[in-house]
Amino acid sequence: MDTELLKGVSRSFYLSMAWLPPAMRHSISLGYMLARATDSVADTSAADPGLRAEVLRQMGRCVAGDATPDERQELEHTLAAQMAPQQHKESESRLLQSFGQCLQELAQTPPGEAALVRRVLATIVEGQLWDLTYFTPECTTVQDDAMTARYTYLVAGCVGEFWTLLGRETLGDAFCPAERAELMCAAGVRYGRGLQLINILRDMEEDAARGRRYLCSPPVLWQDRADRYLRDGLDYAERLGGFRLRFASMLPALLGLRTLGLIRRRRGQERVKIPRRAVYASMLQAAWRAARGRRK
């Protein structure tokens, strides 16, 4: 795994991955890299939406292991020749050029872990395809709250589920007791949804300008829901075994809650961004809470 490339494309999430127990780190990092690559394609606004959708489907087939060698070679050429040059960041361009290497690493991943990576990527790609094809000049807003809930599951809630299942696969009871696994999966889904709601709430004006409105109810209702989901995420993290695992799992929730606080206080359309000192404060808070030990 190219750790420098991973750091370049993962921003704050790299802080969590670096602290994960080694047994989990490879498949979490690989899953992130694959998902980030599909997300880069979905967000390549300079490319035709139809082309992006087709490339996403091809990426999904390659990750699932359903593509022929010729199809995979064609996809790698398309990513390198058509998608990579249109990325605004060099790291994302390199990531798309490295997609074939990520597939090779997936093929060498233990079967149980690889199956979980393939499962979560299939769900994420489904969400990205919905996002790419649902919105049109005639349809710029989701129909109802259920559609928002479904979307947040597809692109982020499923990641909390994946995190839990992979933890059980690699660490067993050292992650969480078997009898709590189902409850932890449900909590992980809420946690992931909360993180995606933060993204939606932070980027509402920018998304609306692009003809994408992911909320049809008042934003304050979703702010309250995001707050509950992120606090569920803290509870989830505090129930895990081991300092490193608790720290890595709770840091995104603490950063999300700080971002939510800025969103609630925002005036106008100013860009919300956590200052570096707040990131360090969140890391200290995560370390303190993680050191308290497992909750019963």
Side-chain angles (χ1 to χ4, degrees):
M1 182 68 64
D2 186 337
T3 56
E4 286 303 312
L5 179 56
L6 177 63
K7 186 176 181 180
V9 298
S10 61
R11 300 184 293 275
S12 61
F13 192 49
Y14 179 80
L15 297 174
S16 290
M17 287 188 287
W19 280 90
L20 277 174
M24 282 186 69
R25 197 179 302 150
H26 170 78
S27 291
I28 289 287
S29 300
L30 179 58
Y32 182 90
M33 295 274 275
L34 290 167
R36 192 69 190 84
T38 59
D39 193 53
S40 293
V41 168
D43 288 344
T44 305
S45 58
D48 178 78
L51 173 62
R52 283 182 275 163
E54 179 57 30
V55 173
L56 278 175
R57 294 187 185 98
Q58 292 173 357
M59 294 173 85
R61 282 176 50 79
C62 285
V63 171
D66 296 333
T68 66
D70 286 346
E71 290 172 333
R72 176 172 160 175
Q73 184 176 9
E74 180 183 355
L75 171 64
E76 291 180 25
H77 174 75
T78 300
L79 291 174
Q82 298 187 48
M83 294 296 172
Q86 299 189 62
Q87 303 308 305
H88 297 299
K89 295 182 179 180
E90 174 62 24
S91 58
E92 294 188 4
S93 178
R94 287 179 54 217
L95 175 61
L96 293 181
Q97 295 175 58
S98 302
F99 189 73
Q101 180 182 343
C102 291
L103 292 177
Q104 291 176 8
E105 293 198 24
L106 179 60
Q108 297 166 2
T109 299
E113 297 176 44
L116 293 174
V117 172
R118 291 188 172 101
R119 172 177 162 181
V120 74
L121 258 295
T123 305
I124 290 171
V125 169
E126 180 184 350
Q128 292 166 339
L129 282 169
W130 174 86
D131 191 15
L132 189 58
T133 59
Y134 174 79
F135 295 104
T136 66
E138 296 76 30
C139 179
T140 61
T141 306
V142 296
Q143 295 177 357
D144 50 36
D145 289 353
M147 188 172 284
T148 302
R150 176 64 176 162
Y151 173 66
T152 57
Y153 169 74
L154 289 174
V155 298
C158 66
V159 177
E161 188 175 45
F162 165 67
W163 189 281
T164 308
L165 294 173
L166 184 69
R168 284 287 308 164
E169 175 74 20
T170 56
L171 300 173
D173 287 349
F175 183 86
C176 73
E179 61 270 17
R180 291 196 59 84
E182 186 174 351
L183 289 173
M184 293 293 280
C185 275
V189 168
R190 293 194 297 275
Y191 187 3
R193 279 178 161 156
L195 292 172
Q196 183 61 25
L197 283 173
I198 293 299
N199 292 336
I200 290 173
L201 291 162
R202 182 194 61 204
D203 299 335
M204 282 185 62
E205 290 79 11
E206 181 180 337
D207 288 336
R210 298 189 301 122
R212 281 169 161 75
R213 293 178 173 84
Y214 297 97
L215 307 178
C216 60
S217 297
V220 66
L221 299 178
W222 290 101
Q223 291 173 7
D224 293 343
R225 189 169 299 179
D227 183 88
R228 292 198 304 273
Y229 288 170
L230 292 178
R231 294 188 189 281
D232 284 345
L234 286 177
D235 180 76
Y236 169 96
E238 289 180 338
R239 293 178 183 274
L240 299 176
F243 171 84
R244 295 177 68 92
L245 189 53
R246 289 193 292 272
F247 176 87
S249 299
M250 70 175 55
L251 181 58
L254 292 171
L255 292 171
L257 287 168
R258 287 183 182 271
T259 304
L260 181 58
L262 294 176
I263 291 171
R264 289 186 188 275
R265 297 190 297 271
R266 176 170 54 183
R267 295 294 181 268
Q269 298 182 12
E270 62 180 341
R271 179 70 176 174
V272 168
K273 183 177 181 180
I274 300 180
R276 182 167 297 183
R277 64 180 181 277
V279 174
Y280 294 147
S282 295
M283 293 178 70
L284 288 172
Q285 187 180 2
W288 177 76
R289 296 183 70 147
R292 292 190 303 176
R294 174 182 258 173
R295 291 182 54 177
K296 303 298 182 183

